Amino acid sequence: MLHDLFPPGVQHALDLAGIFVFATAGALLAVRKNFDVFGIAVLALVTALGGGLFRDLVIGAVPPAAFGELSFFVTPLIAAALVFFLHPEVQRINRAINVFDAAGLALFCVTGTTKAYEYGLGLTASAALGLATAVGGGVLRDVLANDVPSLLRDREMYAVPAVVGSSMVAVAIAFDCLNAVTTGLAIVTTFVLRLLAMRYHWRAPLAWNRRSSVAEEP
């Protein structure tokens, strides 16, 4: 379905760009955690490919794209190598990386939803797997790094924009109006929501009327 909206070369380039940015974010966390070179590579791979791998296993798309396409596997390793040698310079452009990360989030939630639907899942399940594609790698990264997954404490609204984007795609499919315009609108909406959340520090709401004396963990 999505391959009918964008030329294969463009789609492949967008996938690689998203994978590279997610891998860079994972590798930077590994550096901050003082992981060795192997740990940096593992966190880069897991962050970049974890969500798509989970999606493909659930829908039965085997072997998963991460193993069927060599460039998908090599790109995170290139990102890990760059961070390993150039992490001070990469850290200085962290804001730009966050912008590209938002773009990757937007792209992956849309591609994940459409691919799940292509494999016969219902609209709700497809949207859920779109979310999993976008944020699943980050959850695995945080678990391996011994952090509380950002999905569970959605500071600066990381998961919410992906939910919006996946839902927009599902609605477009339901009304048989999924095309380049509606797909682009879902991607742009997700991207802009994520940027606004970073700019204004929006976050998902805490428990209603929470009065606990226990301070929130940093």
Side-chain angles (χ1 to χ4, degrees):
M1 183 179 297
L2 197 62
H3 54 269
D4 296 329
L5 304 176
F6 299 106
V10 173
Q11 178 61 38
H12 187 68
L14 291 173
D15 286 339
L16 290 180
I19 287 171
F20 183 84
V21 172
F22 279 1
T24 301
L28 283 173
L29 177 61
V31 170
R32 289 196 291 270
K33 291 282 186 175
N34 290 321
F35 288 5
D36 61 17
V37 62
F38 185 75
I40 293 171
V42 168
L43 241 59
L45 285 164
V46 165
T47 308
L49 304 178
L53 180 62
F54 174 78
R55 176 204 61 213
D56 288 350
L57 291 176
V58 169
I59 64 180
V62 291
F67 295 99
E69 177 61 56
L70 182 61
S71 59
F72 286 174
F73 195 79
V74 171
T75 299
L77 296 180
I78 294 174
L82 289 175
V83 171
F84 180 79
F85 289 107
L86 303 173
H87 62 88
E89 287 73 18
V90 174
Q91 193 73 47
R92 291 192 191 101
I93 60 170
N94 193 52
R95 179 173 297 181
I97 290 174
N98 286 337
V99 172
F100 285 111
D101 180 80
L105 179 81
L107 176 67
F108 282 9
C109 74
V110 169
T111 57
T113 303
T114 54
K115 185 171 183 178
Y117 186 76
E118 286 176 342
Y119 275 77
L121 270 67
L123 294 176
T124 301
S126 296
L129 275 184
L131 170 64
T133 304
V135 305
V139 171
L140 293 174
R141 173 202 65 204
D142 292 341
V143 170
L144 289 175
N146 199 30
D147 286 340
V148 176
S150 57
L151 180 65
L152 303 182
R153 293 191 305 176
D154 201 5
R155 288 177 173 169
E156 297 184 346
M157 290 206 316
Y158 195 80
V160 170
V163 171
V164 172
S166 299
S167 300
M168 289 178 66
V169 173
V171 170
I173 294 172
F175 286 94
D176 196 25
C177 62
L178 185 67
N179 51 45
V181 173
T182 54
T183 300
L185 181 61
I187 292 173
V188 170
T189 300
T190 305
F191 178 65
V192 171
L193 277 177
R194 174 62 180 147
L195 291 184
L196 289 174
M198 289 190 294
R199 173 65 178 83
Y200 296 106
H201 305 291
W202 293 346
R203 64 169 301 165
L206 298 175
W208 177 256
N209 202 23
R210 179 176 178 269
R211 297 183 182 278
S212 173
S213 60
V214 178
E216 182 185 0
E217 293 183 9

